[in-house]
Amino acid sequence: MKIFVDRKNELEELRALSQSKEPAMALLYGRRRVGKTYLLGRIWENPFYFLAADTTPETNRKDLLSELAQWAGVEILPEDYPTWRAVFRLMTRTNQGDQLVFILDEFQYLLGHKDDVISQLTAIWDREMTDSSMLLVLCGSEVATMEALQAGDSPLFGRLSWSSMLRPFDYFDSSRMLPWLGLREAMYFYGVLGGLPRYLSAVKRDEGFRESLCRILLSTRGEVHVQLQNLIAGEKGIRNTAEYDAVLRAVAAGRRELSEIASCAGLQNRAYVVRRILEVMENLDIIHRERNYGAGPKSPWRYRIGDNALLFWHRFIEPNRSRLERNMIDSVWETSIEPFLDTYMGPVFENTVRRTLLRFNAELELPVVSTCSRWEGTDRNRRSIELDIVGEFDSGEMFTGEVKWSSSPVNPDVHFQLKRNLEDLAASGQSWGNRALHGWFVYFSAAGFSEYMMRLAEERTRIVLVSLEDMFPDGGNPNRNR
Ligand SMILES: Nc1ncnc2c1ncn2[C@@H]1O[C@H](COP(=O)(O)OP(=O)(O)OP(=O)(O)O)[C@@H](O)[C@H]1O
Ligand SMILES: [Mg+2]
């Protein structure tokens, strides 16, 4: 049986919508490969499903009619339905039983032509749908276009009963795609493939980490390799892919602030273009941005890659392209990837634990987290200081902490060093340093904690230790091999 992970809310809400006696229109969208079609295929027994193609409106209309004829078991002559209005009217008439669900997938392909699908749809919807209980689901992968459909100036505004953007899985749900793996191994996979279900579903049960990655990602014919190569070009709303690529490369190379990114991408005098590109990619969860903890609203944003698959691609695949093209997969793995993998995982793991704090605070017996970021800068002696996590709970109390992906247990030095850093920062004008010294300390370690560290945490109530196992509160997966 194929696994079905997460998406519980979407599934329940859409099902409820189809069971109501009212006509309803729903919008489901999200990046390519995020699992939209898979989700829609899991909710209803026998919906009408049409997958639009990137072709002319006439061809799409004819294809839809022929699928509708097959589904309803009736004869339909395309020439009788020459407009979308006529097609939608026919759909409402086919609606005789309970729970009729119509799904139009890749809906963006029906838009933007002369014959305005949306206005024809709304005309029929308003006039002829009153006594029907049909659910119409409009699904699409062109995020900006689909978002525009629910904006205030769209004719669909106010007519949509439900809308949701599907997002990639976090580390926890990603690991549920690979339930046969130990936690550390599952975390490596998440670190390399990110949270797009399609990439994770390419991993086979009987393969090891290296074997899987060589097959699906390092091989230039590999499923994930091919998809990543076309990722930017495949986002339909994006036109100038070269500029997107250059910006992505700059961020992947460690440029953090807008001006650095612009100049590294060769777009020095066009910061507004770079800002726009970053915004589009942020909307797709490809880029994340954050500010130093406590920084004012005018201080610069810091950008990073938010999709691990792309990060890995730019760090390891792109620079080894020519060897990979010549099929030297083993040598690339052994000399250019494996020795650096744990260094790569450090920051990836650090970003992952933020999600733990937000999603599993109750399981960790912590208050609700209201903000969580990091801090980097220098103290008054120009010593550089980095705090992996700094944030606040709802109660207003602060927490700080360190995150270690190392393979040896963390000992109390980490705590004493962090306190010294906070004292230094407090003395250097970062007034929150003192508050943090009286707040909580949360330490994450992929390799557990030394006995001394555990004793320290037992003695002091506000030191919380989180191991890799704690980051995976069971999750309905009791058989996982820890
Ligand atoms: N919730 C899930 N649980 C388990 N596997 C999933 C889930 N969602 C998606 N997948 C896997 O990911 C694959 C891709 O998902 P799907 O085709 O639904 O993506 P999509 O968003 O429709 O992409 P596209 O825009 O490219 O059509 C599925 O075939 C399935 O193997
Ligand atoms: Mg799809």
Side-chain angles (χ1 to χ4, degrees):
M1 203 189 79
K2 285 195 101 177
I3 358 184
F4 185 68
V5 172
D6 189 41
R7 315 302 192 203
K8 207 165 145 251
N9 294 347
E10 288 86 357
L11 193 141
E12 281 167 9
E13 288 165 13
L14 280 170
R15 185 172 286 152
L17 212 53
S18 65
Q19 285 162 349
S20 87
K21 298 281 170 249
E22 307 276 300
M25 210 189 292
L27 204 63
L28 178 73
Y29 60 99
R31 266 174 81 176
R32 308 223 59 175
R33 319 298 184 221
V34 81
K36 303 175 294 294
T37 306
Y38 193 74
L39 165 66
L40 292 173
R42 288 288 175 127
I43 310 182
W44 301 285
E45 276 292 306
N46 182 29
F48 172 72
Y49 175 85
F50 176 66
L51 180 66
D54 192 2
T55 168
T56 61
E58 289 71 31
T59 310
N60 270 319
R61 204 159 48 232
K62 272 191 201 135
D63 289 349
L64 189 152
L65 287 167
S66 102
E67 301 220 3
L68 190 63
Q70 244 178 31
W71 175 78
V74 293
E75 197 181 342
I76 296 174
L77 297 173
E79 50 276 26
D80 293 346
Y81 305 93
T83 62
W84 282 110
R85 185 187 291 256
V87 172
F88 289 128
R89 179 172 295 127
L90 174 67
M91 280 164 66
T92 66
R93 304 235 165 110
T94 318
N95 181 4
Q96 299 137 347
D98 278 351
Q99 279 198 37
L100 254 130
V101 178
F102 288 81
I103 300 169
L104 301 182
D105 200 352
E106 301 297 359
F107 186 67
Q108 72 271 357
Y109 291 142
L110 304 184
L111 302 168
H113 298 283
K114 249 191 352 280
D115 55 344
D116 182 2
V117 171
I118 296 291
S119 62
Q120 299 188 43
L121 170 62
T122 48
I124 296 290
W125 195 260
D126 291 349
R127 280 181 228 137
E128 303 184 26
M129 288 297 293
T130 37
D131 56 351
S132 132
S133 65
M134 155 179 180
L135 169 63
L136 176 64
V137 185
L138 307 176
C139 177
S141 54
E142 199 174 305
V143 172
T145 312
M146 296 302 284
E147 266 175 352
L149 290 180
Q150 54 181 341
D153 57 353
S154 156
L156 290 189
F157 182 75
R159 290 185 175 86
L160 291 167
S161 307
W162 186 91
S163 141
S164 174
M165 172 162 157
L166 279 197
R167 303 211 110 97
F169 291 150
D170 64 5
Y171 76 93
F172 182 81
D173 289 325
S174 295
S175 86
R176 288 166 68 195
M177 295 283 292
L178 312 165
W180 60 90
L181 293 179
L183 296 180
R184 199 172 167 98
E185 207 172 17
M187 196 59 102
Y188 275 120
F189 268 110
Y190 174 68
V192 174
L193 296 177
L196 278 187
R198 175 66 185 269
Y199 298 177
L200 295 160
S201 71
V203 176
K204 287 187 189 155
R205 196 176 270 263
D206 51 4
E207 270 177 340
F209 181 60
R210 169 181 176 161
E211 206 184 339
S212 266
L213 293 188
C214 287
R215 180 177 61 81
I216 64 179
L217 182 56
L218 269 66
S219 158
T220 52
R221 295 172 303 283
E223 185 178 333
V224 178
H225 187 104
V226 172
Q227 291 187 40
L228 277 168
Q229 203 164 27
N230 297 321
L231 186 126
I232 291 299
E235 293 297 338
K236 263 286 238 143
I238 294 176
R239 283 184 189 86
N240 193 338
T241 51
E243 286 180 351
Y244 275 75
D245 260 342
V247 170
L248 211 48
R249 244 173 233 251
V251 182
R255 303 300 185 275
R256 291 282 167 264
E257 294 185 9
L258 187 69
S259 56
E260 296 170 339
I261 298 168
S263 83
C264 177
L267 297 163
Q268 296 76 335
N269 304 320
R270 300 170 63 208
Y272 63 97
V273 174
V274 177
R275 186 176 293 121
R276 171 82 198 118
I277 289 176
L278 289 166
E279 255 170 39
V280 171
M281 292 200 286
E282 191 186 349
N283 209 14
L284 297 168
D285 294 311
I286 291 176
I287 292 279
H288 284 176
R289 62 177 170 155
E290 63 188 1
R291 288 196 172 107
N292 257 358
Y293 174 81
K298 290 217 171 118
S299 69
W301 288 105
R302 299 175 59 79
Y303 297 87
R304 61 180 173 79
I305 305 277
D307 177 330
N308 294 340
L310 272 173
L311 188 64
F312 188 88
W313 176 271
H314 284 282
R315 172 75 179 76
F316 293 112
I317 305 289
E318 204 50 68
N320 293 303
R321 259 202 115 69
S322 46
R323 273 195 295 161
L324 291 173
E325 291 288 354
R326 282 180 292 143
N327 225 10
M328 295 166 66
I329 294 179
D330 287 329
S331 114
V332 169
W333 179 267
E334 280 157 23
T335 60
S336 308
I337 298 183
E338 198 170 29
F340 307 100
L341 205 53
D342 283 309
T343 314
Y344 166 82
M345 283 298 288
V348 167
F349 187 56
E350 194 187 303
N351 292 324
T352 306
V353 309
R354 301 223 174 102
R355 182 70 191 146
T356 315
L357 284 168
L358 292 167
R359 181 168 173 179
F360 296 122
N361 68 292
E363 286 80 353
L364 297 173
E365 297 177 13
L366 289 170
V368 173
V369 171
S370 63
T371 60
C372 182
S373 50
R374 65 196 314 275
W375 194 88
E376 55 184 85
T378 50
D379 70 3
R380 60 188 162 166
N381 302 320
R382 298 183 170 254
R383 181 171 72 91
S384 80
I385 294 183
E386 284 189 24
L387 305 180
D388 295 347
I389 36 178
V390 198
E392 283 172 31
F393 294 119
D394 254 6
S395 56
E397 291 170 294
M398 275 190 75
F399 63 87
T400 49
E402 290 289 313
V403 182
K404 303 285 175 204
W405 175 256
S406 69
S407 47
S408 53
V410 163
N411 60 49
D413 293 352
V414 170
H415 178 60
F416 300 131
Q417 181 61 46
L418 173 58
K419 283 181 71 173
R420 266 197 300 280
N421 284 343
L422 290 172
E423 280 158 12
D424 266 5
L425 288 174
S428 310
Q430 302 291 340
S431 55
W432 51 266
N434 267 323
R435 258 200 324 130
L437 279 165
H438 295 100
W440 297 66
F441 295 92
V442 189
Y443 298 104
F444 287 83
S445 165
F449 300 91
S450 71
E451 222 168 285
Y452 188 20
M453 185 70 169
M454 290 199 268
R455 219 170 317 134
L456 186 73
E458 265 165 36
E459 285 161 11
R460 318 221 181 142
T461 46
R462 289 188 165 185
I463 299 182
V464 177
L465 308 184
V466 187
S467 67
L468 201 54
E469 287 73 22
D470 300 326
M471 289 173 69
F472 290 83
D474 201 277
N477 226 345
N479 299 326
R480 174 184 291 285
N481 162 24
R482 283 173 185 250

